[in-house]
Amino acid sequence: MTAPDVPRDVLRDAAALYVDLHAHPELSGAEVRTAGVLAARLERDGCTVTRGVGGHGVVGVLRNGPGPTVMVRAELDALPVRERTGLKYASTVPGVMHACGHDLHTAAAAGALALLAGARDSWRGTLVLVGQPAEETLSGARAMLDDGLYERFGTPDAVLAQHCAPLPAGSVAHGPGPLMSAGATLDVVVHGRGGHAGTPQLAVDPVVTAAAVVMRLQTVVSRETAPGERVVLTVGSLHAGDRANVIPSEARLSVSVRAFTDASLTRATGAVRRIVRAECAASGCDREPEITVTAASPALVADPDTALRVRRAHEDAFGAHRVTGWPGSTATEDFPHYAAGGVPVAYWMLGATGARQWRTARDGGEPVPANHTDTFAPDVRTALPAGITAMATAARSLLGVPADGAEAPGASGRREGAAR
């Protein structure tokens, strides 16, 4: 199967789902409409659907006789970004945008399930599609697992996911080592003493303390981390005060730390705690700062055997020249939680950049917009059929094979025009 072989009806429906989701993005924990749209689509394609798993999570189960259980994960949430793509189907929600491709992942997963639902004579087993909420806050996977995902729907023999990346659309990329870094998010509250801007000597200014914290945190990577060690620290949010003539009583920071080993992550987060406390003490803060880890996820490492089977399936589907290597990214995912208890997982990157845009960037022109930027826009005409093909072929490579051409239950009722 190659990308052009995706049946027209499957591709048309997946494209309509993508456009709908892109135009109506919802933030982490608020994916009510998105979950409903996906659930309806899965029910239409023959799944037994359960809503409200771990929040707004959706689980669709497609049974096709005895065999392995393969779980496919897609994300439902968007980001607090104001879209500037100029697309006809741009976000209609002010300040919210699918800037990370979760709409593409969901549409591709739904398309892959529809394709396999229409070709039941080619596989055996159970296909489970998980629409996961709150990936961007690194909390959705854990919430679904804590809500009994594996206990209620069966521990899968493999879990699959893909993520779009600034690579040529129509290609996929696999990596031998950590595909994404481990990460932790720390929320910090610096407690100062409020006062009048004209009498700063009577106050303890948390703005100055927070600024000192931000600058000192830069040394965690530059002076406390070995040059060959991959660690990233970002202060993504800093809020304090409302008026120029009022010294506020507190400042709030959100800090993201990423590393490829647990030891590096532990050391870096420990340094954040130490620096925050030291700067507060140096400023004479009356109270200790509050430091809370609000999200954490381990490094994403695929099961070698499962990843190899998936890569070979992709090479057969796309051709080896369209399956490239991936060096690992300091982005962080909560997908590694699905490997709890030794469940094999496989994960790959899906090219999302159109040919013209790629050539322009390669020749020194405008760079390709990265994920999480307000101009991020996958080349849907190429990336979506490739995403459907990538997920369908990966799942099929891990599902069972019909014995001697025996027809699976419900095979005669497949959708007209579906791939054989």
Side-chain angles (χ1 to χ4, degrees), residues 350-392:
L350 175 69
T353 306
R356 179 180 301 176
Q357 191 177 41
W358 182 264
R359 285 194 298 267
T360 298
R362 182 195 60 192
D363 296 339
E366 180 111 11
V368 175
N371 301 56
H372 289 215
T373 61
D374 56 8
T375 55
F376 177 77
D379 184 69
V380 179
R381 291 187 178 182
T382 306
L384 181 57
I388 294 171
T389 298
M391 186 57 78

Tab-separated table of all heavy atoms in Angstrom, residues 350-392:
chain	number	residue	atom	x	y	z
A	350	LEU	N	6.306	12.005	11.138
A	350	LEU	CA	5.606	12.093	9.862
A	350	LEU	C	5.929	13.429	9.216
A	350	LEU	O	5.679	14.488	9.791
A	350	LEU	CB	4.098	11.973	10.104
A	350	LEU	CG	3.172	12.157	8.902
A	350	LEU	CD1	3.330	10.986	7.933
A	350	LEU	CD2	1.718	12.271	9.376
A	351	GLY	N	6.499	13.398	8.021
A	351	GLY	CA	6.820	14.635	7.319
A	351	GLY	C	5.581	15.468	7.043
A	351	GLY	O	4.542	14.932	6.649
A	352	ALA	N	5.689	16.788	7.252
A	352	ALA	CA	4.522	17.652	7.101
A	352	ALA	C	4.769	18.854	6.198
A	352	ALA	O	3.865	19.655	5.972
A	352	ALA	CB	4.072	18.152	8.479
A	353	THR	N	5.981	18.998	5.661
A	353	THR	CA	6.332	20.185	4.882
A	353	THR	C	6.201	19.925	3.389
A	353	THR	O	6.759	18.955	2.865
A	353	THR	CB	7.779	20.611	5.197
A	353	THR	OG1	7.937	20.777	6.608
A	353	THR	CG2	8.129	21.906	4.497
A	354	GLY	N	5.468	20.799	2.696
A	354	GLY	CA	5.286	20.653	1.262
A	354	GLY	C	6.579	20.819	0.485
A	354	GLY	O	7.533	21.447	0.955
A	355	ALA	N	6.612	20.268	-0.726
A	355	ALA	CA	7.834	20.252	-1.529
A	355	ALA	C	8.347	21.662	-1.829
A	355	ALA	O	9.545	21.940	-1.713
A	355	ALA	CB	7.594	19.494	-2.832
A	356	ARG	N	7.465	22.572	-2.212
A	356	ARG	CA	7.903	23.930	-2.556
A	356	ARG	C	8.484	24.634	-1.331
A	356	ARG	O	9.532	25.262	-1.401
A	356	ARG	CB	6.739	24.725	-3.114
A	356	ARG	CG	7.094	26.162	-3.479
A	356	ARG	CD	5.905	26.919	-4.021
A	356	ARG	NE	5.369	26.283	-5.212
A	356	ARG	CZ	4.265	26.707	-5.836
A	356	ARG	NH1	3.597	27.753	-5.365
A	356	ARG	NH2	3.832	26.084	-6.921
A	357	GLN	N	7.801	24.515	-0.198
A	357	GLN	CA	8.273	25.148	1.030
A	357	GLN	C	9.600	24.549	1.480
A	357	GLN	O	10.499	25.262	1.940
A	357	GLN	CB	7.217	24.984	2.123
A	357	GLN	CG	7.467	25.817	3.371
A	357	GLN	CD	6.343	25.670	4.384
A	357	GLN	OE1	5.832	24.563	4.601
A	357	GLN	NE2	5.935	26.767	4.984
A	358	TRP	N	9.743	23.260	1.301
A	358	TRP	CA	10.986	22.590	1.689
A	358	TRP	C	12.152	23.065	0.820
A	358	TRP	O	13.239	23.355	1.318
A	358	TRP	CB	10.812	21.081	1.570
A	358	TRP	CG	12.031	20.304	1.998
A	358	TRP	CD1	13.019	19.815	1.206
A	358	TRP	CD2	12.398	19.976	3.340
A	358	TRP	NE1	13.970	19.178	1.959
A	358	TRP	CE2	13.621	19.262	3.277
A	358	TRP	CE3	11.813	20.201	4.584
A	358	TRP	CZ2	14.257	18.783	4.411
A	358	TRP	CZ3	12.449	19.723	5.714
A	358	TRP	CH2	13.656	19.026	5.622
A	359	ARG	N	11.921	23.147	-0.481
A	359	ARG	CA	12.986	23.594	-1.391
A	359	ARG	C	13.374	25.036	-1.102
A	359	ARG	O	14.564	25.388	-1.140
A	359	ARG	CB	12.524	23.451	-2.845
A	359	ARG	CG	12.508	22.025	-3.360
A	359	ARG	CD	12.384	21.994	-4.879
A	359	ARG	NE	11.122	22.597	-5.329
A	359	ARG	CZ	10.007	21.918	-5.547
A	359	ARG	NH1	9.976	20.607	-5.349
A	359	ARG	NH2	8.917	22.533	-5.974
A	360	THR	N	12.394	25.877	-0.826
A	360	THR	CA	12.684	27.278	-0.515
A	360	THR	C	13.570	27.396	0.711
A	360	THR	O	14.564	28.139	0.728
A	360	THR	CB	11.370	28.053	-0.287
A	360	THR	OG1	10.595	28.018	-1.491
A	360	THR	CG2	11.649	29.494	0.096
A	361	ALA	N	13.231	26.661	1.756
A	361	ALA	CA	14.033	26.695	2.988
A	361	ALA	C	15.418	26.120	2.754
A	361	ALA	O	16.422	26.664	3.228
A	361	ALA	CB	13.306	25.935	4.087
A	362	ARG	N	15.488	25.043	1.993
A	362	ARG	CA	16.776	24.403	1.711
A	362	ARG	C	17.702	25.330	0.942
A	362	ARG	O	18.928	25.322	1.136
A	362	ARG	CB	16.530	23.123	0.903
A	362	ARG	CG	17.787	22.317	0.575
A	362	ARG	CD	17.485	21.310	-0.518
A	362	ARG	NE	17.023	21.966	-1.746
A	362	ARG	CZ	16.487	21.330	-2.772
A	362	ARG	NH1	16.289	20.021	-2.718
A	362	ARG	NH2	16.108	21.997	-3.861
A	363	ASP	N	17.125	26.169	0.074
A	363	ASP	CA	17.921	27.076	-0.754
A	363	ASP	C	18.181	28.420	-0.086
A	363	ASP	O	18.594	29.382	-0.746
A	363	ASP	CB	17.222	27.293	-2.101
A	363	ASP	CG	17.123	26.005	-2.917
A	363	ASP	OD1	17.920	25.079	-2.653
A	363	ASP	OD2	16.242	25.925	-3.794
A	364	GLY	N	17.923	28.514	1.208
A	364	GLY	CA	18.239	29.723	1.949
A	364	GLY	C	17.105	30.712	2.092
A	364	GLY	O	17.320	31.830	2.569
A	365	GLY	N	15.914	30.321	1.679
A	365	GLY	CA	14.767	31.211	1.792
A	365	GLY	C	14.118	31.124	3.155
A	365	GLY	O	14.750	30.780	4.147
A	366	GLU	N	12.823	31.433	3.184
A	366	GLU	CA	12.080	31.430	4.441
A	366	GLU	C	12.166	30.068	5.102
A	366	GLU	O	11.908	29.044	4.487
A	366	GLU	CB	10.618	31.749	4.159
A	366	GLU	CG	9.788	31.775	5.393
A	366	GLU	CD	9.308	33.174	5.747
A	366	GLU	OE1	9.449	34.088	4.944
A	366	GLU	OE2	8.820	33.308	6.845
A	367	PRO	N	12.542	30.017	6.389
A	367	PRO	CA	12.638	28.720	7.063
A	367	PRO	C	11.274	28.068	7.240
A	367	PRO	O	10.236	28.748	7.243
A	367	PRO	CB	13.271	29.064	8.418
A	367	PRO	CG	13.003	30.507	8.616
A	367	PRO	CD	12.951	31.126	7.261
A	368	VAL	N	11.287	26.760	7.379
A	368	VAL	CA	10.048	26.009	7.587
A	368	VAL	C	9.502	26.321	8.976
A	368	VAL	O	10.229	26.216	9.967
A	368	VAL	CB	10.311	24.497	7.463
A	368	VAL	CG1	9.057	23.700	7.810
A	368	VAL	CG2	10.789	24.151	6.054
A	369	PRO	N	8.240	26.745	9.091
A	369	PRO	CA	7.668	27.004	10.418
A	369	PRO	C	7.686	25.746	11.278
A	369	PRO	O	7.292	24.666	10.835
A	369	PRO	CB	6.235	27.442	10.111
A	369	PRO	CG	6.264	27.911	8.702
A	369	PRO	CD	7.277	27.052	8.018
A	370	ALA	N	8.148	25.878	12.492
A	370	ALA	CA	8.240	24.740	13.400
A	370	ALA	C	6.936	24.548	14.149
A	370	ALA	O	6.081	25.440	14.192
A	370	ALA	CB	9.386	24.967	14.389
A	371	ASN	N	6.780	23.384	14.737
A	371	ASN	CA	5.646	23.118	15.613
A	371	ASN	C	5.594	24.175	16.714
A	371	ASN	O	6.616	24.664	17.171
A	371	ASN	CB	5.771	21.736	16.245
A	371	ASN	CG	5.846	20.621	15.224
A	371	ASN	OD1	6.697	20.632	14.353
A	371	ASN	ND2	4.967	19.654	15.327
A	372	HIS	N	4.388	24.505	17.136
A	372	HIS	CA	4.103	25.468	18.203
A	372	HIS	C	4.247	26.921	17.760
A	372	HIS	O	4.126	27.823	18.580
A	372	HIS	CB	4.968	25.216	19.457
A	372	HIS	CG	4.585	23.997	20.215
A	372	HIS	ND1	4.662	23.914	21.589
A	372	HIS	CD2	4.104	22.792	19.806
A	372	HIS	CE1	4.264	22.719	21.988
A	372	HIS	NE2	3.916	22.020	20.916
A	373	THR	N	4.483	27.163	16.474
A	373	THR	CA	4.513	28.539	15.990
A	373	THR	C	3.165	28.889	15.364
A	373	THR	O	2.389	28.011	14.975
A	373	THR	CB	5.616	28.739	14.941
A	373	THR	OG1	5.378	27.883	13.810
A	373	THR	CG2	6.981	28.428	15.534
A	374	ASP	N	2.878	30.188	15.238
A	374	ASP	CA	1.557	30.611	14.770
A	374	ASP	C	1.371	30.490	13.269
A	374	ASP	O	0.283	30.755	12.758
A	374	ASP	CB	1.265	32.036	15.232
A	374	ASP	CG	2.328	33.036	14.784
A	374	ASP	OD1	3.220	32.667	13.994
A	374	ASP	OD2	2.277	34.195	15.248
A	375	THR	N	2.409	30.076	12.541
A	375	THR	CA	2.277	29.861	11.100
A	375	THR	C	2.454	28.391	10.719
A	375	THR	O	2.578	28.059	9.535
A	375	THR	CB	3.306	30.709	10.325
A	375	THR	OG1	4.626	30.430	10.813
A	375	THR	CG2	3.008	32.190	10.480
A	376	PHE	N	2.473	27.512	11.704
A	376	PHE	CA	2.642	26.080	11.431
A	376	PHE	C	1.419	25.552	10.686
A	376	PHE	O	0.286	25.675	11.157
A	376	PHE	CB	2.822	25.317	12.739
A	376	PHE	CG	2.941	23.824	12.556
A	376	PHE	CD1	4.114	23.260	12.103
A	376	PHE	CD2	1.865	22.989	12.835
A	376	PHE	CE1	4.231	21.896	11.934
A	376	PHE	CE2	1.966	21.622	12.675
A	376	PHE	CZ	3.149	21.073	12.218
A	377	ALA	N	1.653	24.962	9.520
A	377	ALA	CA	0.546	24.460	8.696
A	377	ALA	C	1.038	23.287	7.859
A	377	ALA	O	1.735	23.479	6.865
A	377	ALA	CB	-0.001	25.566	7.798
A	378	PRO	N	0.702	22.057	8.243
A	378	PRO	CA	1.111	20.895	7.452
A	378	PRO	C	0.569	20.958	6.022
A	378	PRO	O	-0.502	21.530	5.771
A	378	PRO	CB	0.495	19.719	8.215
A	378	PRO	CG	0.289	20.223	9.604
A	378	PRO	CD	-0.038	21.680	9.451
A	379	ASP	N	1.309	20.377	5.098
A	379	ASP	CA	0.852	20.244	3.720
A	379	ASP	C	-0.110	19.057	3.681
A	379	ASP	O	0.287	17.916	3.455
A	379	ASP	CB	2.030	20.014	2.776
A	379	ASP	CG	1.600	19.960	1.327
A	379	ASP	OD1	1.194	20.995	0.793
A	379	ASP	OD2	1.670	18.860	0.732
A	380	VAL	N	-1.375	19.331	3.933
A	380	VAL	CA	-2.361	18.273	4.181
A	380	VAL	C	-2.532	17.351	2.986
A	380	VAL	O	-2.720	16.141	3.142
A	380	VAL	CB	-3.712	18.891	4.592
A	380	VAL	CG1	-4.749	17.815	4.831
A	380	VAL	CG2	-3.527	19.729	5.840
A	381	ARG	N	-2.459	17.876	1.777
A	381	ARG	CA	-2.700	17.037	0.602
A	381	ARG	C	-1.713	15.889	0.501
A	381	ARG	O	-2.048	14.818	-0.026
A	381	ARG	CB	-2.628	17.892	-0.667
A	381	ARG	CG	-3.781	18.875	-0.815
A	381	ARG	CD	-3.750	19.559	-2.155
A	381	ARG	NE	-4.878	20.458	-2.331
A	381	ARG	CZ	-5.113	21.158	-3.430
A	381	ARG	NH1	-4.302	21.039	-4.476
A	381	ARG	NH2	-6.165	21.957	-3.506
A	382	THR	N	-0.509	16.103	0.997
A	382	THR	CA	0.501	15.038	0.967
A	382	THR	C	0.647	14.356	2.318
A	382	THR	O	0.761	13.131	2.402
A	382	THR	CB	1.863	15.613	0.547
A	382	THR	OG1	1.711	16.315	-0.685
A	382	THR	CG2	2.887	14.510	0.359
A	383	ALA	N	0.615	15.141	3.393
A	383	ALA	CA	0.878	14.589	4.720
A	383	ALA	C	-0.262	13.708	5.225
A	383	ALA	O	-0.007	12.704	5.901
A	383	ALA	CB	1.137	15.722	5.710
A	384	LEU	N	-1.498	14.051	4.909
A	384	LEU	CA	-2.613	13.263	5.435
A	384	LEU	C	-2.680	11.861	4.828
A	384	LEU	O	-2.762	10.878	5.582
A	384	LEU	CB	-3.929	14.010	5.252
A	384	LEU	CG	-5.175	13.293	5.792
A	384	LEU	CD1	-5.024	12.965	7.268
A	384	LEU	CD2	-6.425	14.139	5.553
A	385	PRO	N	-2.642	11.703	3.503
A	385	PRO	CA	-2.632	10.324	2.983
A	385	PRO	C	-1.415	9.539	3.445
A	385	PRO	O	-1.505	8.337	3.695
A	385	PRO	CB	-2.651	10.509	1.460
A	385	PRO	CG	-2.292	11.923	1.221
A	385	PRO	CD	-2.722	12.700	2.413
A	386	ALA	N	-0.272	10.221	3.579
A	386	ALA	CA	0.915	9.528	4.092
A	386	ALA	C	0.701	9.095	5.532
A	386	ALA	O	1.106	7.996	5.937
A	386	ALA	CB	2.136	10.433	3.984
A	387	GLY	N	0.062	9.950	6.334
A	387	GLY	CA	-0.202	9.600	7.723
A	387	GLY	C	-1.170	8.438	7.849
A	387	GLY	O	-1.011	7.567	8.717
A	388	ILE	N	-2.195	8.407	7.005
A	388	ILE	CA	-3.132	7.279	7.008
A	388	ILE	C	-2.406	5.996	6.635
A	388	ILE	O	-2.547	4.960	7.292
A	388	ILE	CB	-4.296	7.554	6.028
A	388	ILE	CG1	-5.136	8.728	6.515
A	388	ILE	CG2	-5.156	6.305	5.857
A	388	ILE	CD1	-6.176	9.199	5.502
A	389	THR	N	-1.614	6.064	5.572
A	389	THR	CA	-0.867	4.895	5.131
A	389	THR	C	0.111	4.426	6.189
A	389	THR	O	0.222	3.223	6.469
A	389	THR	CB	-0.105	5.214	3.827
A	389	THR	OG1	-1.037	5.531	2.802
A	389	THR	CG2	0.748	4.046	3.382
A	390	ALA	N	0.855	5.371	6.783
A	390	ALA	CA	1.848	5.007	7.792
A	390	ALA	C	1.202	4.296	8.968
A	390	ALA	O	1.706	3.274	9.458
A	390	ALA	CB	2.594	6.250	8.263
A	391	MET	N	0.069	4.819	9.457
A	391	MET	CA	-0.564	4.205	10.620
A	391	MET	C	-1.232	2.888	10.255
A	391	MET	O	-1.154	1.910	11.014
A	391	MET	CB	-1.579	5.177	11.229
A	391	MET	CG	-2.179	4.685	12.539
A	391	MET	SD	-0.928	4.325	13.808
A	391	MET	CE	-0.543	5.986	14.362
A	392	ALA	N	-1.885	2.834	9.122
A	392	ALA	CA	-2.563	1.597	8.736
A	392	ALA	C	-1.575	0.467	8.489
A	392	ALA	O	-1.792	-0.672	8.936
A	392	ALA	CB	-3.415	1.840	7.489
